[in-house]
Amino acid sequence: MFSPSMDSARDASGVAGTVLIPMRFVWPYGGRSVYLSGSFTRWSEFLRMSPVEGCPTVFQVIHSLAPGYHQYKFFVDGEWRHDEHQPFISGEYGMVNTVLLATEPNLVPVLTPDIVSGSNMDVDNEAFQRVVIVRLTDGALSEVLPRISDVDVQTSRQRISAFLSMRTAYELLPESGKVVALDVDLPVKQAFHILHEQGIPMAPLWDFCKGQFVGVLSALDFILILRELGNHGSNLTEEELETHTISAWKEGKWTAFPRRFVYAGPYDNLKDIAVKILQNEVSTVPIIHSSSEDGSFPQLLHLASLSGILKCICRYFRHCSSSLPILQLPICAIPVGTWVPKIGESNHRPLAMLRPSASLTSALNLLIQARVSSIPIVDDSDSLLDIYCRSDITALAKDRAYTHINLDEMTVHQALQLGQDSCNTYELRSQRCQMCLRSDSLHKVMERLANPGVRRLVIVEAGSKRVEGIISLSDVFKFFLG
């Protein structure tokens, strides 16, 4: 799905400060590569169209248009094409399709092909014939959303639960790979340097004296350590941090959130592992196996995460998504995720956001207080610029940066620039911000969240990138298993 910038839409139409209307363009005639271009892109930009789930011959893309008259064509396998079943004329660029959006519309239909009902194509007729209406109310866009019965919701949950109950942790094990574990006698400083160098947010802890795994060191520990160092009444000095071991930190009074060690075995089912992750508010659970009855000589096989479990769900239901009708619903029609409260909604918890000029101290405090793993960074219009994650804090371990910075004086923007090239701008860095639209289906969101390293998607408004909410891995699993 394509999310254009506000400026591109304004330039193409010549209209500034107007409402952008998201439109769905569909090419239902097959092809290997399909692109959309038109007057709204000045005919110089090609918008890649994606196959519809379960309908490999149908391609679609969503693009926001300003009210007015627009022309467009499709570039299919290297050739210009137009859709004869949609309005078209002979223009400067040959035969082109057209669309007219009224300046002050009351009802605006999303573009869908009207050929489906009379064709023999293998498509989901019901999905394509459903009309989505957009109304302009008090200057804001609101959708008449498709509905799903409580019975279908419960059926979908039961099928997900049954699937996870029949699968074990063995299905998560990769054919090859490495798992990093840390000795509890390592200095804390060295441990976080290792996490940064390996590009991992956490690692299991091994105690040689006990001959077992005893815990986990995560980015949250580093946040707590930095806060402790910034506390003028701290009992932990920078010099002590150089030799302070992990075990001393974990056993000391500085650990504000002591947690028991949570792990699972290779024969545990995926549902129990997912529930264990949710209940203990951890990102991963070590999979540990011991061939002896007394549990000695344990082997660390894998680090199970909700991402890996979700990948199993997506792989299994990819070709039978019709058995889970809820997967086709847009996320805005499902009680999932954290959304920016609308005017008058006082019963919703606010979505934590930061400005680039906010201090690093405020960012770290917010991560802990809000009990979240990341916070969107936005401009004065609440448009997404970047995102600050717990794991970003390990960048301060590089070259012992934490020893010569002031958390109150360093801004979030400066913290994100650590270890980056000086020419690295927000526009380039924003590529790491995983985004989605409120109109994206739950299935599409799940597919993206199942990718390695992706733990949450920022829900943005098409065109402006104004943050509307966040949907995380834990949100999806709480919805299915809650």
Side-chain angles (χ1 to χ4, degrees):
M1 186 174 292
F2 179 80
S3 279
S5 68
M6 178 73 81
D7 291 338
S8 64
R10 288 177 178 173
D11 291 343
S13 65
V15 180
T18 189
V19 175
L20 292 175
I21 304 173
M23 304 293 292
R24 182 162 72 101
F25 294 87
V26 178
W27 175 260
Y29 309 106
R32 293 186 300 275
S33 63
V34 183
Y35 296 84
L36 173 73
S37 189
S39 57
F40 39 84
T41 67
R42 297 182 178 179
W43 299 99
S44 61
E45 183 179 1
F46 292 79
L47 311 180
R48 187 176 186 88
M49 303 183 71
S50 303
V52 174
E53 179 67 23
C55 309
T57 60
V58 181
F59 292 76
Q60 69 174 357
V61 68
I62 291 181
H63 189 77
S64 294
L65 305 182
Y69 177 81
H70 304 278
Q71 297 181 356
Y72 63 95
K73 294 185 74 170
F74 302 91
F75 195 67
V76 184
D77 296 337
E79 295 183 2
W80 284 106
R81 304 278 296 276
H82 71 280
D83 187 350
E84 296 182 353
H85 293 84
Q86 296 291 333
F88 65 92
I89 62 170
S90 177
E92 181 181 355
Y93 296 92
M95 301 300 291
V96 296
N97 291 113
T98 64
V99 60
L100 175 63
L101 300 182
T103 304
E104 295 181 358
N106 291 322
L107 296 177
V108 181
V110 174
L111 289 180
T112 55
D114 55 8
I115 66 164
V116 178
S117 59
S119 74
N120 57 4
M121 295 174 59
D122 181 20
V123 298
D124 184 350
N125 287 348
E126 181 180 355
F128 274 103
Q129 290 175 349
R130 181 188 299 124
V131 178
V132 181
I133 301 298
V134 179
R135 295 181 183 271
L136 290 179
T137 307
D138 299 328
L141 291 176
S142 60
E143 296 169 276
V144 177
L145 300 172
R147 295 182 177 275
I148 189 171
S149 68
D150 292 338
V151 174
D152 284 337
V153 171
Q154 192 60 29
T155 299
S156 296
R157 286 173 168 169
Q158 289 173 350
R159 287 175 177 164
I160 293 287
S161 179
F163 167 77
L164 294 177
S165 297
M166 292 186 296
R167 264 64 182 182
T168 67
Y170 263 120
E171 297 200 30
L172 302 177
L173 304 185
E175 293 183 0
S176 63
K178 67 176 182 179
V179 181
V180 177
L182 300 174
D183 186 345
V184 292
D185 291 327
L186 276 175
V188 171
K189 178 209 71 170
Q190 185 178 350
F192 284 111
H193 181 76
I194 293 173
L195 291 185
H196 174 71
E197 290 298 317
Q198 295 294 323
I200 54 178
M202 56 79 66
L205 301 175
W206 173 259
D207 189 323
F208 274 100
C209 295
K210 297 180 179 179
Q212 62 185 23
F213 292 96
V214 295
V216 168
L217 188 74
S218 69
L220 176 61
D221 289 298
F222 198 17
I223 292 176
L224 296 175
I225 288 176
L226 291 179
R227 290 180 72 199
E228 178 66 26
L229 287 175
N231 179 7
H232 297 297
S234 172
N235 294 316
L236 184 63
T237 65
E238 292 176 9
E239 290 75 16
E240 289 176 320
L241 184 61
E242 296 294 314
T243 57
H244 206 66
T245 64
I246 299 174
S247 59
W249 163 256
K250 286 292 187 179
E251 296 170 4
K253 61 182 180 181
W254 301 287
T255 306
F257 303 106
R259 294 181 175 181
R260 65 184 182 89
F261 180 44
V262 180
Y263 65 96
Y267 300 107
D268 292 354
N269 66 63
L270 296 184
K271 179 182 178 181
D272 289 343
I273 294 176
V275 170
K276 188 172 291 189
I277 291 175
L278 294 175
Q279 290 179 343
N280 291 277
E281 297 183 344
V282 294
S283 60
T284 57
V285 167
I287 304 299
I288 297 175
H289 175 64
S290 177
S291 55
S292 59
E293 295 183 359
D294 60 359
S296 58
F297 305 106
Q299 292 179 300
L300 178 61
L301 303 180
H302 185 60
L303 297 179
S305 66
L306 294 180
S307 175
I309 299 175
L310 187 61
K311 196 173 190 68
C312 291
I313 296 175
C314 292
R315 184 169 57 241
Y316 179 79
F317 288 101
R318 180 171 296 146
H319 302 297
C320 56
S321 58
S322 59
S323 64
L324 293 177
I326 198 172
L327 296 185
Q328 305 308 320
L329 285 182
I331 54 174
C332 61
I334 306 171
V336 62
T338 302
W339 296 77
V340 174
K342 296 179 181 179
I343 297 176
E345 291 182 342
S346 58
N347 58 334
H348 286 66
R349 65 171 179 147
L351 179 66
M353 292 189 284
L354 288 169
R355 298 284 189 266
S357 58
S359 69
L360 186 55
T361 294
S362 64
L364 301 184
N365 289 340
L366 194 54
L367 283 171
I368 295 175
Q369 293 168 3
R371 303 180 74 87
V372 294
S373 61
S374 62
I375 303 173
I377 301 172
V378 298
D379 61 16
D380 293 337
S381 300
D382 287 344
S383 295
L384 184 65
L385 296 173
D386 208 323
I387 194 166
Y388 193 82
C389 310
R390 278 186 189 176
S391 55
D392 287 326
I393 198 66
T394 58
L396 298 183
K398 184 179 181 180
D399 300 326
R400 298 173 66 246
Y402 58 85
T403 63
H404 54 266
I405 65 170
N406 187 313
L407 299 183
D408 293 323
E409 296 177 356
M410 172 170 278
T411 66
V412 174
H413 173 72
Q414 292 170 335
L416 287 172
Q417 294 302 309
L418 286 175
Q420 303 293 328
D421 295 334
S422 59
C423 63
N424 202 0
T425 64
Y426 271 130
E427 287 73 23
L428 294 177
R429 285 185 56 78
S430 64
Q431 295 177 3
R432 79 188 191 112
C433 297
Q434 299 293 323
M435 296 173 286
C436 67
L437 301 178
R438 62 187 293 116
S439 58
D440 285 350
S441 69
L442 178 59
H443 184 263
K444 181 173 184 178
V445 167
M446 289 168 58
E447 288 275 7
R448 295 188 63 186
L449 284 172
N451 291 325
V454 179
R455 294 187 58 189
R456 87 289 299 165
L457 299 178
V458 182
I459 307 166
V460 298
E461 182 183 57
S464 69
K465 285 189 179 179
R466 183 176 61 84
V467 174
E468 297 187 319
I470 284 185
I471 182 169
S472 66
L473 281 164
S474 59
D475 291 330
V476 172
F477 278 88
K478 285 176 183 177
F479 173 70
F480 280 125
L481 302 178

